[in-house]
Amino acid sequence: MNRRSIGVWDLVFFVVAAAAPLAVMSGVSPLAVMFGGVGAPGGYLLGGIVMAVFAVGFTAMSRHVDNPGAFYAYISRGLGRTVGLGAAFVAVLSYVLIAISFIPAIGVFAHDTALSLAGVDIPWQVWAIAGWLTVGTLGYLNITLSAKVLGVLLGLEVLILVLFAVPVLVAGGAEGLSFGSFNPANIFGPGVGALFVLAFGAFLGFESTAIYSEEAKNPKRTVPQSTYIAVGFLAVFYTVVLWAAIMAYGPERAVAVASEDPTGMFFTATERWVGAPAATAMHVLIVTSALAAALAFHNASARYLSALAHEHALPAWLGRRTPAGSPGAASLAVSAAAAVIVVAFALAGADPYTHTFIWLNAIGIPGIIGLQALCSAAVVAFFRREPHGHGIFTRLVAPVIATAALAGTVVLIAVNYDLLTGAGSVTNAVLLLILPVTFGVGVVVARILRARRPAVYEQLATVRPDEPTSVG
């Protein structure tokens, strides 16, 4: 069977679905308005610009490193295999935890939607189990089926936000259109640190264009095209929709509403400007948005695990594939990890949203952004040895800018970490330490491989999973 079945738009669906645009806009962006004020849309636009600059070096390297390990492979080629394997362990941890976090989120969103719309009070755990089974089944099956499901769900959530934004902007909003949201003075206000935590976190997951390289049609063309389309779409979409939400209330009133009722900000505005049926649809689509994000991160996690298993950095059984070519063993492992972690949190009495969902994301978000910064530095090192015909902007200027911007974002996240977790200093310290400890474990594994299995070590980040290895 031909495993190269994924096209440009399939990859775009995976990336945008992982970003969960409806969940980001209705559930997270009001917090950005609360902390960042009317400059919040500008913060999302700036986040998109930084990600686009990062994509310059990222996509250039994708043409020369054909390996679905993505960050792991690029960092290994640029900064060495030891650093690369440390990054790989952080990537696996980050993606798996984010994928798992959406399972209780599905449960919470579905419970609240069923209760508010139909008066049906089914425990969140039942909905979470249904979501877990759905994600696990689709993740195990052929990737093209997942792409079709994601395409439908993504189309619906984008449509409902467009239906909200267009009437607001055409009518000129509640007080007339104002462009103060794009004034640098409003973007870089007192809450800029908290704003950037939320804005930059909204773009997580577009590395998955490279993760699917082994299943993509003509990856040297498909990966760059899908990356730029996804990042460009998200940047414009987030910016326009959030700006429309502010215009729906008027700048001053919008900040007050975001502070008083952040979870209801979009639903109230949608009901007022479009009608109750649209608000009802938005409630339902919040659930499918979380489901789509869970599936996208599940798929990315399974492919990371499979790639590392194939290179003998993880147990070989994780690399076993289904007849359809999907990483079946790794997919089952992610599903099993989700069951264990979500049940453990539930038995500990943790709240499914404020603890399980938020805390797992609080580890995964800085993990992935930190890897983006490290990857940009690796791009500089890689092209310094051999430019491969790329100009100075592609191989030096853009990745240096991206490295500085993304590293700064990691610092802002650490400084504003309580915004993400709502926890005390001890809990925050433990959660943050998980990332460097995981990186250290990867480094230790690399050192052990180098000392005891040098042939395996030398093949790290060089072998594609659809090619046989010579090392047993």
Side-chain angles (χ1 to χ4, degrees):
M1 180 177 292
N2 179 18
R3 285 167 54 192
R4 291 196 175 277
S5 57
I6 302 179
V8 171
W9 291 105
D10 292 329
L11 283 180
V12 171
F13 290 149
F14 280 119
V15 172
V16 179
L22 180 56
V24 166
M25 286 291 93
S26 62
V28 178
S29 70
L31 298 177
V33 176
M34 183 196 316
F35 292 105
V38 296
Y44 279 85
L45 180 60
L46 184 60
I49 292 172
V50 170
M51 292 303 169
V53 173
F54 165 78
V56 172
F58 178 78
T59 57
M61 200 162 181
S62 73
R63 296 183 175 95
H64 308 286
V65 181
D66 191 8
N67 186 296
F71 286 158
Y72 149 64
Y74 299 174
I75 292 169
S76 294
R77 295 292 187 89
L79 302 177
R81 294 180 178 87
T82 299
V83 176
L85 199 56
F89 275 52
V90 172
V92 168
L93 176 76
S94 299
Y95 272 95
V96 170
L97 291 184
I98 293 175
I100 293 171
S101 75
F102 278 101
I103 299 303
I106 292 170
V108 171
F109 293 154
H111 168 268
D112 293 349
T113 297
L115 185 61
S116 62
L117 298 183
V120 178
D121 189 7
I122 299 175
W124 72 267
Q125 293 92 336
V126 175
W127 293 108
I129 292 172
W132 174 75
L133 289 171
T134 302
V135 170
T137 301
L138 290 173
Y140 183 84
L141 296 175
N142 191 293
I143 191 67
T144 54
L145 177 60
S146 291
K148 289 181 174 63
V149 172
L150 287 175
V152 172
L153 297 181
L154 176 61
L156 291 173
E157 60 181 291
V158 168
L159 177 62
I160 195 65
L161 288 171
V162 169
L163 288 175
F164 158 70
V166 169
V168 173
L169 297 179
V170 169
E175 302 174 0
L177 297 181
S178 166
F179 294 91
S181 293
F182 309 103
N183 185 333
N186 291 328
I187 298 173
F188 293 93
V192 63
L195 170 59
F196 282 179
V197 169
L198 301 172
F200 280 73
F203 291 89
L204 293 184
F206 73 90
E207 176 208 11
S208 58
T209 55
I211 293 175
Y212 295 104
S213 63
E214 63 167 327
E215 296 161 277
K217 304 172 184 175
N218 190 7
K220 293 185 184 299
R221 177 184 62 84
T222 303
V223 170
Q225 286 185 357
S226 57
T227 300
Y228 283 118
I229 291 172
V231 172
F233 170 79
L234 287 173
V236 173
F237 188 74
Y238 286 150
T239 302
V240 172
V241 171
L242 184 52
W243 181 48
I246 292 175
M247 294 301 100
Y249 292 96
E252 292 187 8
R253 178 61 183 151
V255 176
V257 170
S259 301
E260 297 164 3
D261 184 25
T263 58
M265 181 179 182
F266 265 81
F267 298 107
T268 301
T270 300
E271 183 170 358
R272 174 186 172 190
W273 285 90
V274 188
T280 298
M282 186 175 285
H283 275 287
V284 174
L285 290 171
I286 278 280
V287 181
T288 61
S289 178
L291 180 67
L295 179 56
F297 276 105
H298 177 102
N299 285 332
S301 300
R303 278 149 185 81
Y304 246 122
L305 287 170
S306 180
L308 291 175
H310 185 82
E311 297 190 353
H312 307 283
L314 289 176
W317 64 267
L318 284 169
R320 295 172 188 164
R321 291 182 171 273
T322 67
S326 295
S331 177
L332 292 175
V334 176
S335 294
V340 170
I341 291 177
V342 172
V343 169
F345 269 86
L347 292 177
D351 182 88
Y353 189 83
T354 59
H355 291 144
T356 312
F357 176 73
I358 297 296
W359 287 10
L360 294 181
N361 271 280
I363 301 169
I365 288 175
I368 294 178
I369 296 177
L371 289 175
Q372 290 171 340
L374 199 58
C375 183
S376 291
V379 169
V380 175
F382 179 81
F383 287 121
R384 182 180 181 183
R385 292 191 290 269
E386 173 53 59
H388 292 284
H390 293 288
I392 191 170
F393 179 79
T394 298
R395 59 185 170 82
L396 180 62
V397 176
V400 166
I401 293 173
T403 301
L406 292 165
T409 301
V410 173
V411 173
L412 287 173
I413 290 176
V415 172
N416 295 275
Y417 203 61
D418 57 340
L419 170 67
L420 292 175
T421 65
S425 57
V426 174
T427 299
N428 288 337
V430 170
L431 293 175
L432 277 173
L433 279 173
I434 291 174
L435 292 171
V437 168
T438 302
F439 182 86
V441 170
V443 169
V444 170
V445 171
R447 293 294 187 184
I448 292 174
L449 287 176
R450 185 176 182 180
R452 299 182 180 178
R453 305 183 69 187
V456 171
Y457 179 81
E458 291 300 321
Q459 286 193 26
L460 292 177
T462 63
V463 180
R464 293 188 55 243
D466 57 355
E467 297 174 343
T469 62
S470 59
V471 180

